[in-house]
Amino acid sequence: MTLAQNEDQASAEAAVAHLLAESLLMIRYLAASDGDRPISDNRRQEQVHALADLCHNLPAWLDPTRRDRIHEGIAFMWRTASPNKRRWVRQCWDAIGYDYRWLR
């Protein structure tokens, strides 16, 4: 692998790891109770479901035996994501400076 390919690989792995971390934090926030009352807001449940749906395949692409094909996982996630999910992904990646223009 060339230096550029190594940097691209590392960037893709960092982008996937960042999405996973952000989605877990957001899911925990959305699923949190308000004092003694559990959250029963349907909107929050929908958001939790959307985040889990978006990221559920990503951990497998960080497996050492599959990391060399991580771009396939990112591309699949992008192709199957709704506009709202893509917007959230772009916000996450913009925050870390990941160049996702190759997905367009």
Side-chain angles (χ1 to χ4, degrees), residues 3-100:
L3 180 59
Q5 288 171 323
N6 281 337
E7 289 176 0
D8 185 49
Q9 180 71 20
S11 293
E13 291 173 12
V16 167
H18 185 71
L19 281 184
L20 290 169
E22 289 296 313
S23 66
L24 287 175
L25 287 172
M26 187 60 96
I27 287 169
R28 287 190 71 176
Y29 169 77
L30 292 168
S33 65
D34 183 15
D36 293 330
R37 296 177 303 144
I39 298 297
S40 61
D41 182 354
N42 286 338
R43 177 73 178 126
R44 284 187 177 193
Q45 289 175 345
E46 289 171 11
Q47 289 174 315
V48 166
H49 177 75
L51 289 169
D53 182 57
L54 178 67
C55 295
H56 79 278
N57 287 323
L58 292 180
W61 292 101
L62 291 174
D63 182 283
T65 62
R66 297 180 80 190
R67 281 187 179 190
D68 61 334
R69 295 178 26 232
I70 198 166
H71 291 89
E72 293 174 28
I74 292 172
F76 177 78
M77 178 206 61
W78 188 261
R79 275 193 320 271
T80 60
S82 69
N84 285 339
K85 290 176 184 177
R86 285 184 182 185
R87 186 176 318 114
W88 183 81
V89 170
R90 282 192 304 270
Q91 289 172 347
C92 287
W93 285 342
D94 287 344
I96 63 167
Y98 179 63
D99 183 4
Y100 51 88

